Amino acid sequence: MEDLITPTLQLLLLLLTTTVLLLRHRSHLHPSTPPPPLLPPSPWSLPLLGHLHHLGPLPHQSLHHLSLRLGPLFHLRLGSVPCIVASSPATAMHLLKTHDLTFSSRPLSSAVRRLTYDASDFSFAPYGPYWKFMKKLCMSDLLGGRTLDVHRPVRRDEVHRLMRRFAEVADMGGGGDVDVGEEVMSMSNNVISRMLMGRRCSGTAEEAEGVRRIILETAEGLKKRVEDVHRRFDGFMEGVIREKERRREDEMEGGYVKDLLDLLLDISEDEEAEMRISRENIKAFALDIFAAGTDTSAITIQWALAELINHPDILEKARQEIDTIVGPARVVDEPDIPNLPYLQAIVKETLRLHPTGPLTVRESIRDCHVSGYDIPAGTRLFVNIWAIGRDPAHWPDPEDFRPERFLGDGTIDVRGQHYQLLPFGSGRRMCPGTSLAMHVVQTTVAAMVQCFEWRVKEGKVDMAEGPGLTLPMARPLVCVPVKRLDLF
């Protein structure tokens, strides 16, 4: 028996040696053949599906659990799409700062292409001359400080309307309740609508509900509703633009304040403009600002109120600060916010734990080398903002709601400069509407704290997260408002 085993082993050894020599010879004959890229670690995969089976209904949480095992940078293949995931502040800074230009584009699905008029918008436009022009336009004119100041009365009026709505419910007696999410969604929708096109979307109940459904369906991921959503939004915006064109000459007389649609139409009609924009560009930008400015602000306000209800000591501390600075005779307003550091800290802590965009998505436009790994062009990058906000190396007791961590010297900002807190992204592709969002969220939360006590029939708010591209609450936030100040 041993006489048979020995020749067999010798034959296997000979075959192995020959194979190795042949492979080396082939490599020598074809020195231009590159070795396979060295990719970051990845979990086990399935044929065709790749790593899709690792993602649950809340992808940011699934990716976080994978990062605990694989490290702050790992590789996935979602079907045929190569992806990398960054889950730590240091890795995010390396990708969004050092390699910002490499990851300067966003992936375009067929659904996104259809909705955005073939990437004619700002959020999904490929990095290039048009995107640079729109970025400059957003920062200087459309969403810059001067435009925000001009439209401050609009935001103040909508916040007051919201407080009056809560006061009406409180006056009903018998512990009447209100769906906070529905109400703040309507408020933020009307802020955007008035800034964009000079009128409220809730002029009629049918129109308000129509626009609201379009925005919600956009945030929910669309699926097979893409064509219907696109058709409805296009019809809505076409009607708005035609009405605006008919009335523009009359509106420009007197002390008329131009809305964002006026500014966009001015540029489209200016033959000397740096770049001409089309009707599709205008509609696509309108979709951007509705989708990014309505749902996200409303969700953040809900999470902030929910945390305050569950932490009455923090709520009382915020209320005392507002009472001291503002007093009981008027409603808190945007100019008061810089003097309310604890209120600002509450909003920052809310954004740390509940970022409305839990995943920032980019796509590489060229090959690059990251942390010792080879990342090919066309790789999607997911920066897990939700996980970064819970990194224990930067946030002691990360699951606790503790606004005090944002007080004192060296305060961390939300504008993409501090990579342990990235609710609006960072670098070239960070959200240009950060200032608008912070104005709306901080002032609304402050007014709700100042004017009302808030009760929930269950005694405590369920903080479970729901599915979606944004980060909604799993269950509606239904509260009983009780008047604290009768200012309406």
Side-chain angles (χ1 to χ4, degrees):
M1 190 72 172
E2 292 180 359
D3 291 340
L4 290 175
I5 293 175
T6 300
T8 303
L9 289 175
Q10 290 175 343
L11 179 59
L12 288 174
L13 182 60
L14 179 61
L15 287 173
L16 179 60
T17 303
T18 304
T19 302
V20 171
L21 290 173
L22 285 172
L23 288 174
R24 286 183 179 176
H25 181 64
R26 183 179 180 184
S27 176
H28 178 70
L29 290 175
H30 302 280
S32 62
T33 303
L38 178 62
L39 296 173
S42 62
W44 64 278
S45 63
L46 293 173
L48 300 179
L49 290 178
H51 301 99
L52 277 169
H53 60 288
H54 289 285
L55 301 184
L58 301 174
H60 58 281
Q61 291 193 21
S62 302
L63 295 175
H64 173 58
H65 293 314
L66 286 173
S67 73
L68 297 178
R69 178 160 52 91
L70 299 170
L73 182 67
F74 59 93
H75 172 257
L76 295 176
R77 184 170 52 82
L78 303 182
S80 61
V81 179
C83 309
I84 57 173
V85 182
S87 302
S88 73
T91 308
M93 182 172 69
H94 191 48
L95 289 160
L96 297 179
K97 185 177 182 180
T98 306
H99 294 283
D100 185 26
L101 182 58
T102 297
F103 291 95
S104 58
S105 282
R106 295 191 189 276
L108 282 172
S109 65
S110 58
V112 168
R113 281 190 179 277
R114 183 62 177 142
L115 277 173
T116 60
Y117 300 83
D118 198 21
S120 296
D121 67 330
F122 170 71
S123 293
F124 289 93
Y127 183 75
Y130 169 74
W131 183 88
K132 292 178 183 178
F133 171 75
M134 288 301 295
K135 169 84 171 185
K136 183 169 66 174
L137 188 65
C138 283
M139 302 308 293
S140 62
D141 294 334
L142 298 177
L143 298 173
R146 182 177 58 184
T147 301
L148 294 183
D149 288 343
V150 166
H151 290 283
R152 183 163 69 86
V154 166
R155 298 190 295 276
R156 181 178 62 237
D157 180 60
E158 290 300 331
V159 170
H160 286 197
R161 286 172 182 261
L162 178 65
M163 296 305 110
R164 283 194 289 272
R165 167 63 183 146
F166 291 145
E168 290 172 1
V169 175
D171 286 340
M172 291 177 183
D177 55 29
V178 63
D179 186 329
V180 174
E182 289 284 336
E183 299 299 336
V184 296
M185 177 76 171
S186 177
M187 182 273 296
S188 58
N189 191 39
N190 279 312
V191 167
I192 296 299
S193 178
R194 289 176 69 178
M195 289 183 63
L196 177 67
M197 56 191 187
R199 64 183 178 86
R200 305 180 88 228
C201 263
S202 55
T204 66
E206 181 180 357
E207 181 182 60
E209 178 61 20
V211 175
R212 194 179 73 85
R213 285 308 313 165
I214 290 171
I215 302 308
L216 286 175
E217 289 172 19
T218 302
E220 287 168 1
L222 307 168
K223 298 179 182 177
K224 296 181 179 179
R225 299 191 295 270
V226 173
E227 284 298 328
D228 181 55
V229 171
H230 177 78
R231 177 185 55 78
R232 284 186 287 146
F233 183 79
D234 185 77
F236 168 73
M237 280 308 303
E238 187 62 34
V240 169
I241 292 173
R242 287 178 179 174
E243 179 184 354
K244 173 68 71 174
E245 289 172 334
R246 287 195 300 267
R247 298 171 54 188
R248 263 166 73 78
E249 290 186 8
D250 295 335
E251 288 179 339
M252 293 307 168
E253 298 179 359
Y256 176 73
V257 176
K258 287 186 177 182
D259 53 44
L260 302 187
L261 188 53
D262 286 315
L263 298 176
L264 290 167
L265 287 171
D266 286 345
I267 295 167
S268 70
E269 296 166 0
D270 184 1
E271 296 182 358
E272 297 181 0
E274 177 184 338
M275 183 171 289
R276 298 290 295 274
I277 60 175
S278 66
R279 207 174 189 86
E280 285 70 27
N281 294 139
I282 294 174
K283 294 176 186 177
F285 178 84
L287 179 67
D288 277 354
I289 193 170
F290 265 123
T294 298
D295 188 42
T296 53
S297 295
I299 287 173
T300 301
I301 293 167
Q302 290 176 75
W303 282 116
L305 183 61
E307 290 285 8
L308 291 173
I309 292 171
N310 286 351
H311 297 86
D313 54 331
I314 296 175
L315 174 59
E316 183 57 32
K317 189 172 179 179
R319 186 169 284 149
Q320 289 176 5
E321 179 184 65
I322 296 171
D323 288 347
T324 300
I325 299 300
V326 180
R330 64 178 179 85
V331 181
V332 62
D333 199 3
E334 285 181 16
D336 298 313
I337 299 301
N339 299 318
L340 301 173
Y342 197 65
L343 185 278
Q344 295 178 59
I346 286 170
V347 173
K348 288 179 181 178
E349 182 72 340
T350 301
L351 290 168
R352 179 185 72 84
L353 284 172
H354 313 287
T356 50
L359 295 171
T360 289
V361 187
R362 306 273 190 90
E363 187 171 84
S364 60
I365 61 175
R366 61 191 182 192
D367 297 345
C368 67
H369 196 67
V370 177
S371 301
Y373 299 109
D374 302 314
I375 310 300
T379 299
R380 291 188 184 178
L381 164 64
F382 294 92
V383 180
N384 196 337
I385 306 299
W386 185 90
I388 287 172
R390 287 169 164 76
D391 188 332
H394 288 83
W395 305 108
D397 304 316
E399 296 296 335
D400 292 347
F401 186 77
R402 190 157 55 86
E404 287 76 8
R405 67 176 90 237
F406 288 100
L407 299 177
D409 296 335
T411 300
I412 296 173
D413 195 16
V414 299
R415 300 174 189 276
Q417 303 303 311
H418 300 93
Y419 290 87
Q420 61 269 51
L421 185 69
L422 297 170
F424 300 100
S426 182
R428 286 173 171 82
R429 286 281 184 173
M430 77 168 292
C431 175
T434 300
S435 294
L436 173 59
M438 294 300 285
H439 282 320
V440 172
V441 170
Q442 291 178 144
T443 309
T444 306
V445 172
M448 293 170 75
V449 168
Q450 178 194 26
C451 297
F452 299 94
E453 303 279 357
W454 296 94
R455 301 170 185 169
V456 289
K457 294 180 179 179
E458 298 80 9
K460 198 167 185 178
V461 179
D462 183 348
M463 303 298 284
E465 299 173 349
L469 298 180
T470 51
L471 193 66
M473 302 183 73
R475 295 170 183 80
L477 178 59
V478 178
C479 298
V480 177
V482 178
K483 276 186 181 179
R484 181 173 176 268
L485 298 177
D486 196 356
L487 298 175
F488 301 97

